[in-house]
Amino acid sequence: MVTLEDLKTPKKNTWCPGCGNFGILMAFKKALIQLGLERDQVVLVSGIGCHGKMVNYVNVNGFHGIHGRTLPLATGIKLANPNLTVVCFAGDADCYDEGWGHFSHAIRRNIDITLIVHNNMVLGLTTGQTTATSQKGFRTKSTPFGSIPPALNPIAHALVSNGTFVGRGYSGDMMSLTGLMAEAIKHRGFAFLDVFQPCVTFNYLNTYDWFKERVYKLEEEGHDYTDRQKAIKKSFQWKDHIPVGVFYKEERSTYLDGLPHVKNQALTKIPMEKVAITSLLESMI
Amino acid sequence: MFSVIVNKISMMIGGEAGAGITRSGFLFAKACLRGGLHVFGTNDYQSLIRGGHNFYIARADSEEIYSQADTIDLLLALNKETILLHKDELVQNGGIVYDEEESTLTEGELGRKDLKLFTVPLTATVKELGGTPIMRNTVALGATTALLTYDLDILNEVMRDTFKPKVAEINVKAAKKGYDYAREKYASEFDYRLERTTPNGKRKIFLTGSEAVGLGCIRAGCKFYAGYPMTPATPVHHFLAQLDREYGMIVMQAESEIAAINMTAGASFAGVRAMTATSGGGFCLMSEGLGMTGMTETPIVVMVAQRHGPSTGLPTYSCQADLRFTIHASQGEFPRIVIAPGDVEECFYKTMDAFNLAEKFQIPAILLTDKYLAESHGAPEFFDQDRIGINRGRLMTNDEYADEEEYKRHKLTEDGVSPRAVPGMKGAIVRTNADEHNESGYTTEDSELTTRMADKRFKKLDTLVRNLESYETTKLYGSDEAEVTIIGWGSTKGPIREAMKLLGKERQNVNYLQIMYLNPFPAAKVRRILKSTTKTIVVENNKTSQLSSLIREHLLTAVDHKILKYDGRPFNPGELSRRIMEVL
């Protein structure tokens, strides 16, 4: 059984003290332990941004890819070997700005991977600019007079895109986040978890206090996560009352279910030497 | 002209898009191939689905041929526009098959009196049979078979092999109608004949460059393909998508080329051979992902089928202007391989080479083709499936990692190539990183390590260059003592070889150097070959002669003459031979 010690890496952590990423990192490690997953059977994919360093801090297989492209990368890995547990970490700019196009398609395909978005509503590693989830009016170096458009609503988007697992966590509540992550990873299909993660250096607005005053758990209100319409309604709650937890969950056939010839078989195990093409060639005579 | 020309024909079929032009040309050429002739077929179409003007040229000959000819002997015109557009490409006494009811021609419109007009009631025949309008082609093919006094059974056999039984039978009927009509009305009127000959024993296949790439991909054991539709790369996707169930592959349509290359990289990282294909515009989008595969040492194959540019350019026409682009695409420096097959046969073998080299050196391999090569039909010998084996380099295929030392994906080795484990292998943690990284794949910003890792990646290039010495990176056609050398790469091969036939007595003094591996550039080989040459002529389908610049870069010499064409169309042999003669 894997332990916290096993999951440690020699890399020194370079996130700012108090960064919301720490909660996500610890929750992920604990979720792996809780699920009893072996390190060598898990692949962590990350993009570019502060979140991307996850690859350096968890001792599992990892691919630190390029900005915005974690989902297609994870898609390729999972399709080639469905036996792997593939967890994709992305930032809000990474997933909702640069990689927004992939987001919709990954949801639609329902491949059995997990997407965890470190959503701090600001670009951190590039020293503070607006992102797709920055609040309207949010002032940054790139928007000194305030962000003009309203923020995207990734939860609502995932719900209307037919997502089979749509949830939101808060890194300030590591215990609940661990449970949510474990549930997301266990989900058979594409699991999407948006995680509020305060950026203590560049986000002056969405702070720990800001979240603490607003965040409430869906389960405490007895939310029915099998009802998509209700979930959509909940996804529009913002301002003073912001829900976290599982918005919606259902079992549905995955992309691989649509490929009966490889269904859950690793492509790596399909013989690739001496593939017979004689009949194909003969059909071309 | 009174003599009869046997087994030498250039036939064009033309009409609106959606009229089945390419399919009909294919049927005709294949019927010629089955009769023992050498054949070549190429299409020309516009970026639209209905209307406009499409044509296909099928050429058959008792001698070896490598491209289309400059002229047409017989034109199958499915509409009047085809006649008006191509009448001047017809040879003296050439023939036109058309439907008089649809294409009423006045002598003035035709502008020449030598042509033989073979009117055939295409539409009426189809109506009589209760067939669809697309079958007009088949009636015309039947009539053509009669005009050429060829064997209708061969055409029927090809149709039965191509179509589903029901469709085949009605087409066989349509062909027979056309055949009977023309035989009765125009017996022996046409100067061109086709006769079944005995092939020289070698089995031949008829396929496009795209299909050959697809076959190479399957035979190379590729199990994952992701792509986004873009002419002229899409036929590879279509070909593989038909077969993925049979061959245990996943062939998927990605949401963009960016997604496609990242999916491909992901699949390769997970341990399977993976490929994507696109054209220039899509390759622009793939550039960042390509660099990522270079940095993470993830082997992938990318086929880039060039089309005319810049930007959208002529979307359905050919060009060779992406040579420099594929060699340099993406930021930073990393080794890559760029291979340009020159004909359909090379498309197969070079695809297999590309997969082997990508995996042996854990680098991206680019197969550079173009619309002309990707969509033209050639008839190579039945492929030798065992000529190129599978070499996966340092891929570790055990289920378990048994070494005492912790596994390091980017371990520093003498030749730069690291042992490659894949995720899922027990006991190995496989970590890679698009950021600069240490041997274990952890991010680094250390100056010394940064230098060492760049050196590691480029050691692979040194090893690759040495390795390629045993590969056929170039081919020389003609005498190695010739004073004049024509140099080309990619699809100009066919027209160049045809043009050389037309050089008359000058032919002895001219040879042709085909460079297949463009990066790393086979400088030593090219230098050796050019040593005995006093005049070099580069032939390319681009404006700036990118191959000349590569030769200058690697050999420090300027080529003497450049023959360039960049209108989206391939060179015709006659046109090319004239331009060669001008500079001889």
Side-chain angles (χ1 to χ4, degrees), chain A residues 211-224:
Chain A
F211 285 113
K212 208 169 151 189
E213 282 166 23
R214 292 167 173 80
V215 162
Y216 79 93
K217 288 181 184 167
L218 282 166
E219 62 194 66
E220 284 167 3
E221 288 202 350
H223 170 66
D224 175 8

Side-chain angles (χ1 to χ4, degrees), chain A residues 2-11 25 28-29 32 37-44 53-62, chain B residues 406-407 427-431 440-442:
Chain A
V2 70
T3 65
L4 270 181
E5 192 56 31
D6 296 334
L7 292 169
K8 250 173 81 175
T9 72
K11 283 297 285 184
L25 174 64
F28 179 56
K29 288 180 177 180
L32 292 180
L37 292 166
E38 293 298 332
R39 295 191 305 133
D40 48 23
Q41 304 306 309
V42 175
V43 185
L44 189 166
K53 296 172 196 267
M54 284 292 282
V55 160
N56 293 323
Y57 306 144
V58 189
N59 203 353
V60 293
N61 296 304
Chain B
E406 177 205 342
Y407 175 72
I429 298 300
V430 186
R431 186 182 300 101
S440 301
Y442 289 120

Side-chain angles (χ1 to χ4, degrees), chain A residues 47-284:
Chain A
I48 299 297
C50 290
H51 84 274
K53 296 172 196 267
M54 284 292 282
V55 160
N56 293 323
Y57 306 144
V58 189
N59 203 353
V60 293
N61 296 304
F63 198 132
H64 190 341
I66 50 179
H67 193 50
R69 317 301 169 201
T70 56
L71 286 170
L73 196 55
T75 297
I77 295 170
K78 183 69 182 184
L79 291 180
N81 187 355
N83 302 324
L84 297 167
T85 299
V86 182
V87 186
C88 215
F89 290 88
D92 45 322
D94 191 280
C95 187
Y96 306 145
D97 283 281
E98 193 92 13
W100 183 249
H102 307 304
F103 181 54
S104 311
H105 290 276
I107 296 168
R108 190 166 79 89
R109 287 191 189 104
N110 199 34
I111 291 170
D112 187 10
I113 56 180
T114 304
L115 167 67
I116 295 168
V117 181
H118 299 224
N119 184 3
N120 58 9
M121 308 169 194
V122 72
L123 273 149
L125 201 54
T126 49
T127 70
Q129 296 83 18
T130 182
T131 74
T133 49
S134 298
Q135 304 298 283
K136 184 176 163 76
F138 187 60
R139 284 174 287 108
T140 66
K141 286 177 194 156
S142 64
T143 52
F145 308 108
S147 176
I148 295 167
L152 278 180
N153 186 337
I155 299 285
H157 185 83
L159 288 165
V160 299
S161 303
N162 261 327
T164 58
F165 185 106
V166 182
R168 181 192 280 147
Y170 170 46
S171 75
D173 179 359
M174 209 259 294
M175 284 293 285
S176 304
L177 185 58
T178 304
L180 266 177
M181 275 193 195
E183 202 178 339
I185 293 168
K186 250 189 354 206
H187 174 70
R188 188 179 181 278
F190 184 77
F192 163 54
L193 205 54
D194 178 78
V195 183
F196 288 147
Q197 168 249 318
C199 174
V200 293
T201 305
F202 296 109
N203 194 329
Y204 61 89
L205 179 66
N206 310 102
T207 60
Y208 281 101
D209 286 342
W210 190 90
F211 285 113
K212 208 169 151 189
E213 282 166 23
R214 292 167 173 80
V215 162
Y216 79 93
K217 288 181 184 167
L218 282 166
E219 62 194 66
E220 284 167 3
E221 288 202 350
H223 170 66
D224 175 8
Y225 60 67
T226 64
D227 187 328
R228 195 181 289 274
Q229 295 305 325
K230 279 188 188 146
I232 290 172
K233 221 168 166 186
K234 286 281 181 197
S235 74
F236 282 93
Q237 279 191 346
W238 194 254
K239 286 194 174 144
D240 305 330
H241 208 46
I242 305 176
V244 294
V246 179
F247 283 76
Y248 183 77
K249 193 163 94 162
E250 70 165 316
E251 273 271 322
R252 207 178 60 217
S253 60
T254 67
Y255 189 85
L256 274 167
D257 292 338
L259 298 170
H261 62 298
V262 291
K263 200 171 171 182
N264 300 322
Q265 185 188 2
L267 295 180
T268 46
K269 296 290 175 204
I270 296 175
M272 53 80 70
E273 293 204 37
K274 300 261 171 204
V275 175
I277 57 166
T278 308
S279 63
L280 272 180
L281 291 172
E282 278 168 351
S283 74
M284 292 171 167

Side-chain angles (χ1 to χ4, degrees), chain B residues 218-283:
Chain B
I218 294 172
R219 180 66 183 170
C222 175
K223 293 294 171 215
F224 185 89
Y225 174 96
Y228 185 83
M230 184 171 189
T231 306
T234 322
V236 169
H237 191 151
H238 292 171
F239 181 80
L240 294 173
Q242 281 288 329
L243 297 165
D244 64 351
R245 288 173 186 229
E246 199 176 323
Y247 287 100
M249 292 178 79
I250 291 181
V251 176
M252 73 184 297
Q253 183 172 329
E255 60 270 29
S256 66
E257 287 87 351
I258 297 176
I261 196 165
N262 278 278
M263 287 173 180
T264 305
S268 169
F269 174 68
V272 295
R273 286 193 161 184
M275 172 173 161
T276 181
T278 186
S279 188
F283 191 63

